[in-house]
Amino acid sequence: MSKRIDVENLDVYYGDFLAVEGVSMAIEPRSVTALIGPSGCGKSTFLRTLNRMHEVIPGARVEGRAVMDGQDLYAPEVDPVQVRRQVGMVFQRPNPFPTMSIADNVLAGVRLNNKRISKGDAADTVERSLRGANLWNEVKDRLDKPGSSLSGGQQQRLCIARAIAVEPQVLLMDEPCSALDPISTLAIEDLMSELKNDYTIVIVTHNMQQAARVSDRTAFFNIAGTGQPGKLIEMADTPTMFSSPSVPATEDYISGRFG
Amino acid sequence: MTPVPTSSQDSTVPGGGQAPHGAVTTAAGTPAGVPAGGRRTTAATMDEDMHDDSSAWAAPGPTAVDHRVSGHAQPPAPAVSLRASGASRVADTIFKGVSGATGVLILVVLAAVAGFLVLRAWPALTASPDELAKISWMNGQSLLEYVGPLVFGTLLSAILALGLAVPLSLGIALFITHYAPRRAAQALGYVIDLLAAIPSVVYGLWGALWLAPVLDPIFRWLSDTLGFIPLFAGYTAPARNVLAAATVLAVMIIPIITAVSREVFFQTPVLHEEAALALGATRWETIRMAVLPFGRSGLVSASMLGLGRALGETMAVLMILSPGYLFSFFLLKPGQHQSIAANIAAKFPEASGLSVSVLIATGLALFVITLAVNMVARWIIARRAEFSGAN
Ligand SMILES: Nc1ncnc2c1ncn2[C@@H]1O[C@H](COP(=O)(O)OP(=O)(O)O)[C@@H](O)[C@H]1O
Ligand SMILES: [Mg+2]
């Protein structure tokens, strides 16, 4: 249950504003791909095109192709809702549903597909997903408490559990640790290296060390200036990117000379 | 690391629309972001804050180094005095005093109204059956026997109205916030607000002269096909029954319920709607997962506001309903029901002495009902506060 995505010449618009231009990249299955680059260069925007979340913003649209295992996600017959069921997403801010218990949060996506899930199956899914998100031991005694009663790091792992409960092909993470303390961040980084055995993971991060620690491949985005579209500057295996990038701007960014 | 002048806006901007999304300011002072295009800020635009390292700074190209130098050139922050200034302390005290006084004033007014009602109703509450029998329209009933059907009629018409209005208002509010294109939504919202401004006597005229003939064939059909259910049995034209009155009441309370729910729905955190969408929820599933649960207590308040208005509505009921004083569930028969407010308005001009007290006693009953409705609403809202969006 993990698929590759090949992006070809993707242009991403907000109304008339071209936010990201001409991105082509291959996202390998069972690996972590990190997207890095200065703020505003379109990392989030690009990430959200991979599960068609971009178009929920009024006026937002995409040109080009994003092909997941042979199927163009933007083909006319493709239902964005079905895309999102296969490509899960974790946001920067932990966003468990405040009106749902921990268990119901985990099951939220599952229930969309399967309304009449049996009690036993539900309990299994909750345990499997929470274990998968390294959260089970912390919450197993209070599954009926609201998700918002957890700490920020726990909430984020709950969101990861909710995303993996539906067994997606791909998991997108938009700066999943930037609202968290260092310990929770480490917990989630550990989790990512486990999850990549089963999932294709794409993560946006502002943290170079994090990209170096968790990712297999790294893509560097940049913008030429305010109001200009963001572009993919270079993409390579993470060790190569961090030791000998081929573009000077990448080296400048990675070594902290700007951004 | 050099501190970089990033704007530290809180990204939890409520869905107002105009809020510039967490714009990053470059050292040159120009905002790096463009204002959000949509009516709401989305999570995609919410990620430029929260980095206290310099990486939060969108600095294009190698000129970045120069920008950082200008970052150094920031004037040092002035030393801050920790002592509150005298002026701000006075303002604070005044504000505290004024807000406290208004709170007390509201309580005083409430107590004064309750006191007035009890005081003026007292003669009726303590009157002997013989004295009450002298009031022709009491038909020899005791006060309780007289108030009972009125309370029943009031509750019945208001609850019927609520039952008609809430689903419609919810539908309209959801359509405005989640389905309609922006232009249409604005226009519709405007029309709804206008409807709220129409005086109730106009609704009464409209109900009696226009709506009643329109309802006539519908009620006839209801009575013919569903007449075996006692609720719908025995329709007699013209449509001056409690269901017709409730229909007009529903039209009257739709604007307020819609307006409040619309505000509540607009405030649904984008974060939660996107969480549902990203799980593969359809628009309707998103509404069920994120919008309705978040708005639930707001919806209860909206409905209670509507119920309060329906309970106390006088003119429309007076002009439409052909009155009766029964505990009757025949919704389509005329001459079965009457509401407290309409009854007071109908009887008050002719009343004097003890009969005024009787009417005030019915008013006291209405006052108690409205208070009770509000308390129940509060209780419903508080019951699951733990799971509300508030935390
Ligand atoms: N909802 C939106 N409406 C209009 N423009 C947007 C919106 N969200 C982001 N943008 C613009 O798109 C560009 C890329 O933003 P974003 O993808 O958030 O960058 P990053 O995640 O790399 O910091 C920026 O110029 C930003 O101002
Ligand atoms: Mg971003």
Side-chain angles (χ1 to χ4, degrees), chain B residues 253-312:
Chain B
I253 64 178
I254 280 174
I256 179 84
I257 303 182
T258 306
V260 175
S261 349
R262 182 187 57 186
E263 289 314 306
V264 172
F265 292 154
F266 263 134
Q267 283 165 18
T268 314
V270 176
L271 226 55
H272 296 142
E273 272 183 65
E274 295 206 324
L277 285 169
L279 284 173
T282 61
R283 216 185 309 206
W284 170 237
E285 286 165 340
T286 304
I287 287 172
R288 280 214 331 242
M289 278 168 96
V291 180
L292 291 181
F294 173 82
R296 201 180 42 94
S297 58
L299 290 183
V300 173
S301 324
S303 308
M304 291 304 141
L305 274 176
L307 185 61
R309 177 150 188 214
L311 283 171

Side-chain angles (χ1 to χ4, degrees), chain B residues 25-255:
Chain B
T25 336
T26 62
T30 48
V34 271
R39 76 191 141 93
R40 286 176 292 168
T41 325
T42 73
T45 68
M46 286 185 173
D47 51 0
E48 279 109 324
D49 57 345
M50 317 178 71
H51 308 282
D52 40 12
D53 62 333
S54 59
S55 63
W57 173 30
T63 55
V65 181
D66 307 338
H67 283 288
R68 278 176 103 197
V69 173
S70 65
H72 276 301
Q74 289 268 308
V80 181
S81 159
L82 291 178
R83 292 180 40 194
S85 77
S88 82
R89 205 177 311 164
V90 169
D92 208 35
T93 314
I94 291 177
F95 177 73
K96 216 186 269 174
V98 168
S99 57
T102 34
V104 170
L105 190 70
I106 289 170
L107 281 181
V108 168
V109 170
L110 197 68
V113 171
F116 159 82
L117 285 173
V118 171
L119 205 69
R120 299 295 300 271
W122 196 250
L125 296 175
T126 52
S128 71
D130 295 344
E131 282 174 303
L132 287 176
K134 287 191 201 122
I135 303 173
S136 63
W137 38 258
M138 294 226 7
N139 299 323
Q141 291 168 306
S142 75
L143 189 63
L144 221 55
E145 285 167 330
Y146 182 68
V147 174
L150 283 174
V151 170
F152 176 80
T154 307
L155 287 177
L156 184 69
S157 58
I159 289 169
L160 281 176
L162 202 63
L164 294 171
V166 166
L168 261 169
S169 309
L170 266 185
I172 300 172
L174 284 175
F175 179 73
I176 291 177
T177 53
H178 285 83
Y179 288 92
R182 189 135 44 113
R183 283 277 177 73
Q186 265 167 3
L188 198 58
Y190 192 65
V191 171
I192 296 285
D193 288 344
L194 276 182
L195 281 180
I198 297 177
S200 62
V201 65
V202 175
Y203 277 113
L205 284 171
W206 171 76
L209 300 178
W210 186 85
L211 190 65
V214 171
L215 286 176
D216 180 68
I218 302 174
F219 284 173
R220 198 180 300 283
W221 176 84
L222 259 182
S223 189
D224 288 347
T225 47
L226 296 177
F228 59 92
I229 308 171
L231 276 182
F232 301 112
Y235 171 66
T236 354
R240 292 180 162 272
N241 48 45
V242 70
L243 197 54
T247 308
V248 177
L249 285 180
V251 175
M252 294 178 67
I253 64 178
I254 280 174

Side-chain angles (χ1 to χ4, degrees), chain B residues 344-361:
Chain B
I344 294 177
K347 301 264 162 62
F348 190 73
E350 315 276 295
S352 63
L354 187 61
S355 54
V356 173
S357 284
V358 171
L359 292 180
I360 291 178

Side-chain angles (χ1 to χ4, degrees), chain A residues 39 44 48 53 57 81 84-85 91-93 95-99 108 112 144 148 162 175 179 206 223-224 226 258-259, chain B residues 11-12 32 42 44 46-48 50-51 54-55 57-60 64 271-272 274-275 277-278 280 285 289 293 387 391:
Chain A
S39 256
S44 301
R48 288 162 60 95
M53 276 297 284
I57 297 161
V81 167
R84 292 178 205 137
R85 290 188 184 182
F91 296 80
Q92 178 181 17
R93 287 276 174 102
N95 56 358
F97 296 114
T99 51
L112 290 176
D144 55 344
S148 46
R162 179 175 68 186
E175 300 187 40
H206 258 101
I223 31 172
T226 305
F258 79 93
Chain B
S11 62
T12 56
T42 73
M46 286 185 173
D47 51 0
E48 279 109 324
M50 317 178 71
H51 308 282
S54 59
S55 63
W57 173 30
L271 226 55
H272 296 142
E274 295 206 324
L277 285 169
E285 286 165 340
M289 278 168 96
F387 280 82
N391 50 11

